Amino acid sequence: MAQALIKADNITKKFGRRIVLNNVNFEIEKGDCLTIFGPNGVGKTTLIRILSTMMSPTKGDVIVEGQKAAMDPIKVRRQIGVISHNPFLYAELTAYENLRFYGKLYQVSDIDNRIDELLELVELSERKHDVVGTFSKGMMQRISIARALLHKPTILFLDEPHSGLDPHAAEILDNTVKQLRKDNTTLIMATHNLDKGLQLASRVIILSPKGIVLNERANNIDASKIRQVYLDSLRN
Amino acid sequence: MRFSKQIYALVEKDIIAELRSKEILNAMVIFVIITFVILSFGLSDILKANLKVDLEAVLLAGILWLAFAFAAVLGLNRSFVHEKDEGCMDGLLLAPLDRSLIFFAKFISNLIFLLTVQFISIFVFAVFFLKDGFYQKFWILIAAIILGDLGISAVGTLLSAIAVNGKARDLLLPILFFPMIIPVYLSLIPLTKYAFLSTAKLADVSGLMQFLAVYDIVFLVVPFIVFDFIVED
């Protein structure tokens, strides 16, 4: 087995006395598409926040390319992009200003061309100089896709990315994710949408309040079994 | 070099957003002017009386910094609201930059907003309160404003980052902020007093300026150590 690109090593997260994640362990190889299923409130977003170095675990480590992420989080963050249900965009700035701002933080070279390229990808070139506060939720999410891809991340986290998307925005997201999959980008998606999640997954994890109840390669297990385990985890 | 470009990007973003929304600057300027108007009427009899020069100078310094402190709270209260409400703080936490730079950039933005408000309102203050001519020792006023604003912005930015996560954030910041800047005001008002006295000498103000400088340094260093913990959870 190849060296894991990302390894969750005994990750535990507590908020006060409440244990949100308890000894979570798994590995992801380069180019994998891991889908994390689980009901609301089970800790999917917390897990994504910990894996993407936004938040520190109470116990355990995130290991990226054999090195603890906490040792050099800035290096890890350069490789990471996140598409969340929250677009991380400033309502008073235009689409271009938002993307240029994040581009500067990530030190993206030839930033204007990269912005044009991404706005074309998300089909919002004509709204480049419009203030983001005037955009619909779907349009904001499309700009958010562009924001996440600005620095050409090799690892992309998607946290409930289809939440609140109109069909057009969802189609753009799905096409982008498929293309990234072809480009060997490692994808980690948290969702409770079984159909969307299973379309792309090469590995599936089901998270329940008790912890991980299933961790399998998607081709080793059929969709009906995954559905069954998922539904059982909701009932228990 | 990399750090300076990232700080520049963060400050530029704050300034563009503020110039477009004007929600911080408008509120601060209007508040300061209203305070000056109310105090000029309320204290008119006292100001017309033949007070001792020293006493009048303290009164003027108190009026000036009373208005500036409350205006600063108005602005500071809003400083992390966009990051919190629009979820942009997560975007910043994901960026490959030292998190203390987020504090430092926000501190610079708050300092710029505070200085802008003071630049506008100081003329209004002169119209309402100064009898003859302008300030006697203008350089002392400039030093007081710079040293005071550094401390107010540093403490205020740090506390604003803490308060923004609270449910009653609008109430929490003043409760935390005013006790923390009492030491600044204990030096700042006597220092500003000398700006209105023609007899002021460097020896009168050097101790006060040194105290403010030390306070500023402490509250610029502490956030660099603790800011990561404040914003993470």
Side-chain angles (χ1 to χ4, degrees):
Chain A
M1 188 179 164
Q3 188 199 32
L5 176 67
I6 302 173
K7 184 178 173 187
D9 186 14
N10 272 325
I11 290 177
T12 297
K13 184 68 186 179
K14 292 180 187 173
F15 292 111
R17 287 182 181 176
R18 196 166 68 91
I19 299 171
V20 178
L21 297 169
N22 194 9
N23 287 326
V24 171
N25 290 285
F26 61 85
E27 292 185 0
I28 311 159
E29 288 171 32
K30 190 174 185 328
D32 258 352
C33 178
L34 170 72
T35 305
I36 304 167
F37 292 114
N40 289 334
V42 83
K44 298 189 299 295
T45 297
T46 303
L47 184 57
I48 293 276
R49 289 174 69 85
I50 290 170
L51 293 173
S52 62
T53 75
M54 258 194 271
M55 183 185 273
S56 303
T58 310
K59 207 179 80 184
D61 293 300
V62 176
I63 295 163
V64 180
E65 292 178 325
Q67 196 185 8
K68 286 183 183 177
M71 301 291 281
D72 191 355
I74 292 176
K75 183 185 163 195
V76 174
R77 286 180 204 135
R78 281 199 195 98
Q79 304 176 58
I80 284 175
V82 174
I83 298 172
S84 160
H85 47 88
N86 206 332
F88 309 159
L89 299 174
Y90 290 89
E92 289 83 8
L93 304 190
T94 64
Y96 170 75
E97 286 164 347
N98 266 293
L99 294 175
R100 192 186 56 168
F101 165 63
Y102 281 107
K104 283 182 179 175
L105 294 188
Y106 282 90
Q107 289 137 16
V108 175
S109 55
D110 199 10
I111 191 165
D112 283 346
N113 281 337
R114 182 71 182 145
I115 290 171
D116 288 340
E117 193 182 305
L118 288 166
L119 285 175
E120 207 165 301
L121 175 80
V122 298
E123 299 177 22
L124 279 171
S125 299
E126 74 283 2
R127 303 293 301 268
K128 181 178 175 181
H129 294 296
D130 288 354
V131 172
V132 162
T134 63
F135 285 12
S136 67
K137 164 86 178 165
M139 288 160 79
M140 277 202 188
Q141 278 300 78
R142 280 148 69 187
I143 297 292
S144 174
I145 295 167
R147 173 197 52 73
L149 300 178
L150 258 179
H151 57 294
K152 300 181 179 170
T154 54
I155 304 166
L156 186 68
F157 291 92
L158 301 108
D159 182 15
E160 302 287 3
H162 295 93
S163 168
L165 288 192
D166 59 67
H168 183 50
E171 189 189 341
I172 288 172
L173 175 66
D174 291 343
N175 291 340
T176 307
V177 169
K178 279 176 196 159
Q179 186 56 48
L180 290 167
R181 189 99 170 77
K182 281 183 194 161
D183 297 342
N184 214 28
T185 302
T186 306
L187 302 170
I188 299 162
M189 175 156 65
T191 181
H192 47 237
N193 185 330
L194 278 171
D195 295 326
K196 291 279 184 193
L198 288 174
Q199 272 174 18
L200 294 157
S202 63
R203 177 173 281 281
V204 173
I205 282 179
I206 297 179
L207 204 57
S208 82
K210 291 173 186 168
I212 291 177
V213 290
L214 183 130
N215 179 3
E216 288 277 353
R217 287 225 147 261
N219 52 9
N220 291 348
I221 188 164
D222 64 64
S224 60
K225 166 84 173 163
I226 294 171
R227 273 177 212 282
Q228 194 54 52
V229 175
Y230 179 68
L231 293 172
D232 287 347
S233 78
L234 292 178
R235 289 187 196 110
N236 294 330
Chain B
M1 194 64 186
R2 176 163 61 88
F3 293 154
S4 60
K5 282 183 180 171
Q6 289 175 323
I7 288 176
Y8 181 80
L10 287 160
V11 174
E12 185 190 36
K13 174 264 299 172
D14 282 341
I15 290 173
I16 292 173
E18 178 53 29
L19 289 177
R20 215 155 272 160
S21 72
K22 296 185 184 72
E23 61 182 27
I24 293 176
L25 286 175
N26 280 0
M28 289 171 80
V29 169
I30 290 167
F31 181 87
V32 171
I33 292 172
I34 288 172
T35 306
F36 287 157
V37 171
I38 292 169
L39 290 176
S40 74
F41 285 115
L43 301 174
S44 61
D45 288 346
I46 297 171
L47 291 166
K48 278 176 196 162
N50 271 336
L51 292 175
K52 281 184 185 173
V53 177
D54 201 49
L55 198 60
E56 188 178 354
V58 174
L59 185 63
L60 291 177
I63 290 168
L64 191 65
W65 284 105
L66 174 82
F68 287 165
F70 281 97
V73 169
L74 277 183
L76 291 164
N77 237 338
R78 303 292 304 164
S79 67
F80 279 102
V81 164
H82 292 301
E83 272 77 11
K84 185 70 184 170
D85 290 354
E86 291 157 27
C88 297
M89 184 54 90
D90 285 347
L92 300 184
L93 296 182
L94 276 169
L97 75 165
D98 193 302
R99 286 173 178 173
S100 56
L101 297 187
I102 301 170
F103 164 80
F104 195 61
K106 196 58 88 174
F107 157 77
I108 293 172
S109 302
N110 285 331
L111 186 63
I112 290 169
F113 296 148
L114 192 53
L115 285 168
T116 306
V117 170
Q118 288 167 335
F119 179 77
I120 296 166
S121 55
I122 205 88
F123 296 103
V124 180
F125 177 80
V127 169
F128 279 110
F129 296 103
L130 295 184
K131 290 171 187 166
D132 45 353
F134 209 54
Y135 306 95
Q136 300 289 342
K137 297 281 182 180
F138 197 65
W139 67 270
I140 296 179
L141 184 72
I142 296 293
I145 285 177
I146 290 170
L147 289 168
D149 284 3
L150 286 172
I152 289 169
S153 298
V155 172
T157 305
L158 179 67
L159 297 178
S160 169
I162 296 169
V164 80
N165 291 312
K167 282 179 187 167
R169 63 188 177 204
D170 292 341
L171 299 173
L172 193 57
L173 180 64
I175 290 168
L176 297 171
F177 176 74
F178 286 117
M180 289 290 285
I181 59 157
I182 286 173
V184 175
Y185 269 56
L186 290 177
S187 302
L188 201 51
I189 292 175
L191 177 62
T192 309
K193 174 190 82 174
Y194 287 107
F196 305 117
L197 296 175
S198 57
T199 54
K201 297 183 191 76
L202 181 61
D204 299 326
V205 295
S206 62
L208 296 166
M209 288 165 80
Q210 280 168 16
F211 176 83
L212 284 169
V214 170
Y215 183 96
D216 294 348
I217 290 166
V218 169
F219 280 96
L220 276 170
V221 172
V222 168
F224 275 85
I225 301 163
V226 300
F227 195 73
D228 204 352
F229 301 103
I230 292 171
V231 291
E232 192 171 274
D233 291 327

